[in-house]
Amino acid sequence: MNPPPAPRRLPDVADEAAAAARPLDWVGMANIALPLRVGGQGGEPIQVAASVDVSVDLVRAQARGIHMSRLYLRLQDAFASEAVTPAGLRRVLQSLVDSQQGLSSAARLVLRYDQLLLRPALASGNAGWKRYPVEIDAALVDGHLQLSLRFSVEYSSTCPASAALSRQINAERFVEDFQGARPLSPAVVGDWLASERGLAATPHAQRSRADISVVLRPQFEELPLAGLIDAMEQALATPVQTAVKREDEQAFARLNADNLMFCEDAARRVAAVLARDPHVDRFEADVAHFESLHAHDAVARVTGRGPRD
């Protein structure tokens, strides 16, 4: 039997010297399709479809390129058996650096996916799935893990100024309809309030969004995504709903009346949550109220730091 032919030696132009030699900050690939295991509700990991950017620095000025295929192949198995955690990200990033055999000293990953959380209805006992866009930015530089988390929360905002103007019109109509009626019984007033005459004006409300970016303290074992989302929705108090029956819609209307807010109010609520979260080192948040009155949006930005030790 003839021995198998020796494998052909293929040319590798990446080994050639660079024409305009200099180090490069980052080199890699963007928008790689990859399944990830992330923390779900109840602590059980779930698999999600992700878009991943991966890069390393190129510290050897004369080297023309990195070993790019090694980055891709290491990523294929990186998160197959464990959920994404700070410790796991550190191990993967170190593996990416090691794969370059001296060409690199730092590595970076950006993971983008949608987190699904099951949300209960406000009053009916139903529940539905809600999607939260998430981006994890992790870098290993000089042996130190740098970890950032970005996510968005949608909510409803009812304008306080519009509410005050609506109350004034409602009061004027009440006076108009009842100025000669004496005495007034609660039943008569209640019937009037429940009728179409009892609603002379309504305040404008709109879907709104908080886009939040936090630099995390990497000493924690888990990513605090679900906890941050829960705290943000509790602070804003009017998160958009999934399964909605009439009783849920009524409860939502009451929540909006109890939580009238300008974009400035929403930004301060968001900042108050982030400023006391021990996972957070620094934060920035942008809130946008997609106006139903104006043809433009009302926006606010706030930055700050987490609690100091």
Side-chain angles (χ1 to χ4, degrees):
M1 179 181 294
N2 295 327
R8 295 164 54 210
R9 181 176 177 81
L10 302 176
D12 187 357
V13 296
D15 287 338
E16 298 174 359
R22 66 178 300 158
L24 298 175
D25 295 341
W26 297 111
V27 185
M29 294 163 283
N31 299 315
I32 299 171
L34 193 70
L36 293 181
R37 293 172 65 81
V38 299
Q41 286 175 299
E44 292 297 323
I46 58 173
Q47 184 166 288
V48 297
S51 174
V52 178
D53 301 345
V54 58
S55 54
V56 292
D57 61 348
L58 181 53
V59 296
R60 191 180 299 169
Q62 297 295 333
R64 188 174 184 184
I66 65 166
H67 301 294
M68 200 167 289
S69 62
R70 297 179 187 176
L71 300 181
Y72 185 91
L73 294 173
R74 297 217 175 185
L75 272 183
Q76 289 283 70
D77 300 322
F79 303 105
S81 59
E82 63 176 323
V84 176
T85 63
L89 286 166
R90 178 186 286 277
R91 286 194 296 271
V92 172
L93 290 165
Q94 186 61 59
S95 173
L96 298 175
V97 172
D98 294 343
S99 74
Q100 299 305 301
Q101 296 180 327
L103 292 177
S104 303
S105 64
R108 183 183 180 197
L109 285 171
V110 180
L111 317 174
R112 291 177 294 271
Y113 63 94
D114 286 338
Q115 179 77 49
L116 284 174
L117 296 175
L118 186 64
R119 292 315 205 192
L122 292 172
S124 66
N126 294 306
W129 291 98
K130 195 168 168 185
R131 179 176 59 193
Y132 301 86
V134 176
E135 182 176 295
I136 300 170
D137 191 332
L140 189 67
V141 179
D142 296 328
H144 298 289
L145 179 63
Q146 302 170 359
L147 195 56
S148 297
L149 182 63
R150 288 182 279 274
F151 63 96
S152 298
V153 170
E154 290 187 330
Y155 60 100
S156 173
S157 60
T158 301
C159 176
S162 182
L165 295 169
S166 298
R167 288 194 299 268
Q168 182 184 50
I169 294 176
N170 287 332
E172 289 172 351
R173 178 176 286 182
F174 180 86
V175 171
E176 176 189 341
D177 286 4
F178 290 97
Q179 59 183 342
R182 295 292 185 276
L184 284 179
S185 70
V188 169
V189 174
D191 289 342
W192 182 87
L193 289 172
S195 70
E196 291 186 1
R197 289 291 297 175
L199 189 63
T202 59
H204 76 82
Q206 53 273 319
R207 183 180 294 184
S208 306
R209 189 180 68 233
D211 296 318
I212 296 152
S213 177
V214 296
V215 176
L216 296 173
R217 295 172 177 171
Q219 65 264 35
F220 293 93
E221 294 182 0
E222 304 293 336
L223 293 172
L225 176 62
L228 283 171
I229 290 174
D230 288 344
M232 210 56 60
E233 291 192 336
Q234 290 169 11
L236 292 166
T238 53
V240 297
Q241 301 295 298
T242 55
V244 174
K245 302 285 285 184
R246 281 177 295 174
E247 56 266 42
D248 303 310
E249 188 169 355
Q250 186 179 62
F252 189 67
R254 176 175 290 180
L255 279 176
N256 274 267
D258 289 341
N259 291 278
L260 305 173
M261 56 183 149
F262 295 121
C263 62
E264 297 95 327
D265 299 316
R268 291 184 177 111
R269 291 188 184 195
V270 168
V273 170
L274 298 174
R276 62 175 179 262
D277 192 298
H279 298 89
V280 174
D281 182 50
R282 303 188 306 278
F283 67 84
E284 58 185 46
D286 294 282
V287 300
H289 291 186
F290 307 123
E291 291 278 329
S292 60
L293 170 64
H294 304 289
H296 53 264
D297 303 330
V299 299
R301 162 170 277 221
V302 63
T303 62
R305 303 186 69 89
R308 300 295 92 190
D309 295 332

